[in-house]
């Protein structure tokens, strides 16, 4: 579904990603872990189509099209979704208006009829219930005055509504208490399916206790330096990034 | 057709587009369609020339080059259709045509006993006793206010007795229907103690004609009175609009003002509020939208003269094209005005590189126990917000339209009259950049 080859990305002339390779197949959940500044968020934003990032080399194929040729809205309409680490507040645009506009933009693109207010409300109410969210959040401005937990849940709500093929979650667990974390994890698990791929970008392995990944990658200094199964995350938790990034050979010498 | 002919034909086409919905019989399908076909044929052929055998000896270029007023003479039926399109639901409407009250077109409706809603000229003739104090107490603040005082002939006279509550808005609809006129309305609102009412001062025109409106509105609030003054300026694109609003407030009175500046080639609104007694509060909100080469100016002045008064001022502007806007907000806290609380903001969105805003907050504080703040911003849309919307599949132009609208609607949403909110919602929809088709 997603094939990244030798990706180099600079921001303001500063190289951030330096030859990143990653292959994600439909039905898989991947976790990308790494220390602060390793390029995790840059990767998530580049895939979502944020401007201001200069791709200096490499390619990204998504379902047989060249992803880097597409603007953000087209990527979204083709099924890519980024759950933001810091969801943006938009005063004056109600959540319900925003959600309906987003869903209908996607439906139009897919040749489906737009949902009217009544059908939309029925759909969004069922999703709210799954995520234990209050309906009043629909009628407030997008993310404005939301608590940290509400913002993160609002991201998962959008994801549950838009049903993306490739979901990228950027630190969706940060700042959540244990109850909110379970709700967010439940929302992610609810989306797991053979047609869908999920990439979790995270600093801590805490979320991975609830959303068990098929593959774990360690990103350091702009490249994937190690990949493995679930056990890699557990090892990381025990030894920290400095040592785990050096690989099994190095680790073997440690007591 | 040569180029000159096309321009002239286009004048007729433009005029037709403006007036067609107000012409008599437009509810009849056959007539509406026939009229549209006729103007279509005319646009195709243009005026006959000497090359046309039938017109070989009669040259009508003088007619073609004449700039005639294409608006039909405004019979009351014609105007009442225009009024219908501007009237707010359930409002008490006074209609002024070229500055003069038209009683036959006005619909004052049922008002509480002792409320006076009439024309200033009538009061000047019949019972001028309370006019001197209200009209000439303070020296006119500008040359334009002087001009208005010298020439004023008519306007609204509104006297609200103490304690009365007028629920529906009072709409003062000023229609400019003739080119080249100087229209100088003078409105007077005398609000008795504890009364409450909302006024909508609404300026519109019949087509794209050039004229000069020079309006003055004086509002006097007695103790505990609560008055809203919403000014909706939708003058013709070729018009000049100068407006002065003078307000004086007694103890515990509450004044709410909004100024929506949408039309006119050049407009300037001056609002001066005197917080003359303790515990009075005023809220001044405004929204200006300018495009093309429009120039729109707001100068406000709030005088905190007595203790514990509160003022809130929130102005916003959206500028496109090569338009220019000015916001000058002056707040003066006088030595006796301890415990004053004043907040002023002015936020501007520039949608084009050629648009320009001059914003100048001025705080003058002569008392020591006060809370005052101000803030002004000038900027473009927040690119983080644009990206957030796009990342959900919303097209970029739709995202920008959504954010621009949200910026402006914040002011509209504070208007306490649902019918006016709805009208402004429609006007903004028509005025602001529209969503792209692809999204």
């Amino acid at each position: 579904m997603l094939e990244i080859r030798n990706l180099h990305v600079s921001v303001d002339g500063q190289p951030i990603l330096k030859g990143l390779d990653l292959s994600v197949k439909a039905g898989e959940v991947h976790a990308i872990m790494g220390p602060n500044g390793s390029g995790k968020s840059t990767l998530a934003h580049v895939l979502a189509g944020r401007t201001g990032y200069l791709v200096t080399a490499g390619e990204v194929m998504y379902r047989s099209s060249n992803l880097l040729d597409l603007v953000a809205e087209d990527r979204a309409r083709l099924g890519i979704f980024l759950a933001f680490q810091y969801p943006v507040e938009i005063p004056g645009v109600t959540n319900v208006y925003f959600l309906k506009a987003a869903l209908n933009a996607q439906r139009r693109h897919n040749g489906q009829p737009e949902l009217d207010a009544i059908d939309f409300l029925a759909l969004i109410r069922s999703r709210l219930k799954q995520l234990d969210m209050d309906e009043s959040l629909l009628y407030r401005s997008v993310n404005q005055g939301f608590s940290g937990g509400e913002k993160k849940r609002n991201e998962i709500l959008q994801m549950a509504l838009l049903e993306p093929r490739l979901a990228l979650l950027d630190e969706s667990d940060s700042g959540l208490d244990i109850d909110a974390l379970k709700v967010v994890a439940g929302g992610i698990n609810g989306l797991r399916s053979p047609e869908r791929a999920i990439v979790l970008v995270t600093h801590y392995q805490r979320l991975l206790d609830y959303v068990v990944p098929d593959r774990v990658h360690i990103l350091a200094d702009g490249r994937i330096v190690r990949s493995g199964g679930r056990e890699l995350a557990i090892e990381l938790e025990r030894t920290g990034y400095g040592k785990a990034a050096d690989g099994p050979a190095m680790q073997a010498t440690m007591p | 057709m040569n180029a000159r002919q096309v321009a002239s034909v286009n004048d007729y086409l433009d005029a037709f587009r403006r007036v067609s919905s107000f012409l008599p019989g437009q509810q009849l399908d056959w007539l509406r369609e026939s009229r549209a076909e006729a103007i279509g044929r005319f646009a195709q052929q243009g005026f006959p020339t000497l090359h046309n055998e039938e017109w070989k000896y009669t040259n009508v270029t003088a007619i073609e080059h004449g700039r005639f007023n294409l608006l039909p003479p405004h019979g009351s039926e014609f105007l009442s259709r225009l009024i219908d399109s501007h009237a707010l639901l359930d409002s008490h409407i006074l209609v002024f045509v070229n500055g003069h009250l038209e009683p036959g077109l006005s619909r004052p409706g049922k008002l509480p006993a002792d409320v006076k809603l009439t024309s200033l000229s009538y009061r000047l003739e019949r019972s001028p006793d309370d006019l001197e104090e209200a009209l000439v107490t303070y020296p006119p603040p500008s040359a334009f206010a002087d001009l208005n005082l010298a020439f004023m002939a008519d306007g609204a006279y509104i006297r609200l007795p103490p304690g009365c509550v007028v629920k529906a808005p009072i709409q003062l609809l000023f229609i400019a229907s003739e080119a080249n006129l100087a229209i100088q309305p003078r409105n007077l609102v005398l609000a008795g103690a504890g009364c409450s009412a909302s006024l909508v001062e609404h300026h519109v025109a019949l087509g794209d004609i050039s004229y000069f409106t020079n309006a003055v509105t004086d509002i006097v609030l007695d103790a505990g009175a609560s008055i809203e003054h919403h000014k909706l300026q939708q003058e013709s694109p070729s018009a000049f609009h100068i407006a002065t609003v003078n307000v004086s407030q007694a103890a515990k009175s509450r004044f709410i003002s909004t100024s929506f500046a949408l039309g006119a080639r050049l407009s300037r609104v001056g609002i001066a509020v005197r917080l003359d007694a303790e515990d009075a509060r005023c809220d001044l909100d405004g929204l200006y939208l300018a495009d093309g080469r429009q120039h729109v100016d707001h100068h406000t002045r709030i005088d905190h003269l007595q203790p514990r008064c509160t003022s809130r001022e929130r102005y916003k502007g959206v500028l496109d094209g090569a338009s220019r806007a000015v916001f000058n907000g002056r707040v003066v806290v006088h030595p006796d005005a301890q415990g004053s609380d004043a907040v002023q903001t002015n936020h501007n969105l520039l949608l084009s590189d050629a648009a320009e805003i001059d914003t100048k907050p001025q705080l003058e504080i002569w008392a020591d126990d006060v809370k005052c703040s101000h803030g002004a911003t000038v900027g473009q849309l927040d690119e983080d917000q644009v990206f957030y919307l796009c990342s959900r599949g919303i097209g970029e132009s739709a995202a920008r339209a959504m954010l621009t609208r949200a910026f402006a609607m914040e002011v509209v949403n504070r208007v306490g009259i649902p019918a006016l909110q709805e009208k402004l919602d429609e006007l903004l929809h028509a005025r602001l950049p529209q969503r792209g088709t692809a999204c």
Side-chain angles (χ1 to χ4, degrees):
Chain A
M1 175 168 296
L2 179 70
E3 205 67 49
I4 304 176
R5 290 189 209 103
N6 190 35
L7 185 64
H8 287 71
V9 174
S10 299
V11 179
D12 297 330
Q14 190 74 32
I16 305 290
L17 298 182
K18 304 166 186 173
L20 184 140
D21 296 286
L22 182 67
S23 174
V24 179
K25 292 188 177 62
E28 293 179 344
V29 175
H30 288 232
I32 296 178
M33 304 183 69
N36 291 330
S38 58
K40 301 192 301 289
S41 282
T42 297
L43 174 63
H45 280 104
V46 167
L47 294 177
R50 169 120 225 190
T51 53
Y53 295 89
L54 183 65
V55 176
T56 51
E59 65 170 4
V60 179
M61 298 302 291
Y62 166 72
R63 294 175 65 214
S64 72
S65 55
N66 189 344
L67 192 66
L68 300 176
D69 287 346
L70 303 172
V71 293
E73 56 265 41
D74 286 338
R75 298 184 197 193
R77 291 166 189 169
L78 290 172
I80 292 185
F81 180 91
L82 168 65
F84 283 59
Q85 181 180 5
Y86 302 109
V88 179
E89 298 189 0
I90 307 184
V93 176
T94 58
N95 220 9
V96 68
Y97 181 80
F98 161 63
L99 292 166
K100 184 160 168 271
L103 181 65
N104 280 333
Q106 192 186 57
R107 289 180 69 93
R108 272 198 300 278
H109 179 81
N110 296 334
Q112 296 166 292
E114 294 184 32
L115 288 189
D116 64 20
I118 294 165
D119 289 342
F120 177 76
L121 212 57
L123 174 64
I124 195 74
R125 278 190 178 132
S126 73
R127 295 289 187 274
L128 281 166
K129 210 166 171 188
Q130 286 164 9
L131 293 166
D132 192 23
M133 287 175 73
D134 198 287
E135 198 177 318
S136 65
L137 290 178
L138 289 180
Y139 303 103
R140 284 164 55 184
S141 290
V142 177
N143 294 324
Q144 196 184 23
F146 284 28
S147 69
E150 284 173 338
K151 283 183 182 172
K152 292 293 168 80
R153 267 188 252 189
N154 204 29
E155 295 294 291
I156 304 301
L157 174 68
Q158 294 166 41
M159 185 171 79
L161 180 72
L162 297 173
E163 301 182 316
R165 283 173 180 269
L166 172 62
L168 312 162
L169 295 106
D170 190 6
E171 308 275 1
S172 290
D173 51 338
S174 67
L176 294 183
D177 63 29
I178 190 69
D179 293 330
L181 181 68
K182 283 179 181 169
V183 170
V184 165
I188 299 169
N189 283 327
L191 221 66
R192 288 183 90 144
S193 93
E195 295 85 45
R196 196 167 280 143
I198 298 173
V199 176
L200 307 167
V201 172
T202 181
H203 187 86
Y204 302 104
Q205 77 95 40
R206 192 173 71 137
L207 177 65
L208 308 184
D209 289 342
Y210 299 94
V211 183
V212 178
D214 300 303
R215 298 284 292 161
V216 175
H217 310 275
I218 299 177
L219 181 59
D221 194 27
R223 298 172 59 208
I224 303 281
V225 293
R226 265 187 83 187
S227 298
R230 163 98 221 275
E231 65 287 349
L232 182 54
I234 295 164
E235 180 195 325
L236 261 180
E237 182 83 345
R238 214 177 50 241
T239 64
Y241 283 111
K243 296 178 181 84
D246 291 335
M250 188 68 183
Q251 195 202 352
T253 66
M254 302 300 292
Chain B
M1 284 192 286
N2 62 35
R4 188 142 188 200
Q5 279 174 311
V6 171
S8 169
V9 164
N10 282 342
D11 289 342
Y12 284 82
L13 262 179
D14 286 347
F16 183 78
R17 284 193 199 103
R18 285 200 307 272
V19 304
S20 61
S21 61
F22 305 120
L23 292 170
Q26 277 308 88
Q27 76 282 10
L28 305 169
D29 290 342
W30 61 267
L31 182 56
R32 194 172 58 246
E33 284 161 18
S34 301
R35 284 189 200 269
E37 284 163 17
I39 194 73
R41 284 192 300 273
F42 172 77
Q44 281 266 296
Q45 297 167 14
F47 286 97
T49 65
L50 299 181
H51 302 298
N52 184 329
E53 189 62 28
E54 297 290 317
W55 293 85
K56 198 170 170 182
Y57 304 109
T58 302
N59 188 339
V60 295
T61 36
I63 296 176
E64 186 180 344
H65 296 163
R67 287 287 179 266
F68 301 108
N69 187 347
L70 294 164
L71 309 170
H74 42 270
S76 59
E77 206 184 322
F78 179 81
L79 273 172
S80 66
R81 265 189 294 276
L82 178 78
I83 293 161
D84 283 342
S85 73
H86 288 298
L88 298 173
L89 192 68
D90 293 330
S91 62
H92 309 281
I93 306 182
L94 290 192
V95 176
F96 296 83
V97 176
N98 300 324
H100 296 276
L101 181 72
E102 291 281 353
L105 296 170
S106 299
R107 306 163 196 171
K110 206 168 148 41
L111 287 157
D114 297 332
V115 170
K116 297 270 189 297
L117 176 62
T118 179
S119 96
L120 185 71
S121 68
Y122 176 85
R123 296 293 293 194
L124 284 166
E125 298 288 341
R126 301 292 175 85
S127 44
D129 297 346
D130 59 354
L131 297 180
E132 182 178 357
E133 192 188 338
L135 292 178
V136 298
T137 302
Y138 301 110
S142 72
F144 287 104
D146 266 326
L147 206 55
N148 177 286
L149 181 58
F151 282 96
M152 68 174 187
D154 204 359
Y157 171 92
I158 302 169
R159 179 182 268 286
L160 302 155
C164 93
V165 175
V166 181
K167 287 211 181 77
I170 297 170
Q171 186 177 6
L172 311 177
L173 183 59
F174 293 90
I175 301 172
S177 74
E178 275 178 50
N180 300 322
L181 281 181
I183 302 166
Q184 311 209 50
R186 180 80 174 211
N187 304 308
L188 178 59
V189 181
L190 301 170
C195 75
S196 85
S198 307
L199 315 172
V200 179
E201 181 184 334
H202 190 177
H203 296 266
V204 302
L206 212 57
D208 184 1
I209 48 178
S210 171
Y211 56 91
F212 167 40
T213 296
N214 181 27
V216 176
T217 300
D218 296 295
I219 303 173
V220 181
L221 290 84
D222 284 351
S226 174
I227 296 294
E228 296 185 19
H229 177 252
H230 304 285
K231 187 168 176 298
L232 176 50
Q233 187 266 98
Q234 279 183 276
E235 302 273 30
S236 130
S238 310
F240 302 93
H241 179 93
I242 306 285
T244 307
V245 181
N246 301 313
V247 182
S248 67
Q249 293 189 240
K252 293 186 179 156
S253 61
R254 173 89 198 264
F255 176 66
I256 293 174
S257 152
T258 54
S259 174
F260 293 96
L262 309 181
R265 161 178 160 191
L266 181 155
S267 71
R268 167 158 168 148
V269 179
I271 301 177
V273 179
R274 294 174 56 89
L275 298 164
D276 266 328
E278 298 177 2
D279 301 303
R281 176 182 171 123
C282 69
D283 287 76
L284 308 186
D285 287 355
L287 175 67
Y288 40 93
L289 307 180
D291 199 353
R293 304 198 59 81
Q294 273 184 297
H295 180 108
V296 50
D297 180 346
H298 280 89
H299 266 65
T300 66
R301 174 177 175 141
I302 300 170
D303 281 281
H304 284 253
L305 292 148
Q306 295 294 326
R308 298 186 310 278
C309 290
T310 303
S311 66
R312 291 287 179 272
E313 188 168 16
R314 291 158 296 202
Y315 269 75
K316 281 188 159 186
V318 180
L319 307 181
D320 207 342
S323 64
R324 178 159 181 199
V326 179
F327 174 80
N328 189 112
R330 189 167 172 202
V331 176
V332 184
V333 179
H334 293 255
D336 290 339
Q338 300 297 352
S340 290
D341 179 354
V343 179
Q344 179 192 88
T345 60
N346 173 228
H347 299 300
N348 296 281
L349 201 51
L350 300 187
L351 301 180
S352 101
D353 290 340
E356 184 181 326
I357 167 80
D358 294 285
T359 174
K360 185 174 167 195
Q362 279 181 288
L363 255 55
E364 287 173 36
I365 301 171
W366 303 100
D368 43 30
D369 175 23
V370 298
K371 268 199 304 196
C372 291
S373 70
H374 64 81
T377 60
V378 178
Q380 283 82 39
L381 290 170
D382 181 339
E383 291 303 318
D384 286 341
Q385 294 178 344
V386 175
F387 174 63
Y388 191 72
L389 295 175
C390 289
S391 78
R392 300 306 184 239
I394 296 168
E396 187 182 337
S397 66
R400 291 183 183 281
M402 204 184 278
L403 293 170
T404 304
R405 187 176 166 72
F407 176 85
M409 281 302 287
E410 202 209 342
V411 183
V412 174
N413 289 337
R414 280 201 297 269
V415 172
I417 303 172
L420 181 57
Q421 256 193 26
E422 211 170 293
K423 177 169 285 295
L424 287 160
D425 193 5
E426 285 166 22
L427 290 171
L428 257 55
H429 194 74
R431 250 324 270 283
L432 293 174
Q434 293 300 297
R435 53 169 43 218
T437 48
C439 29

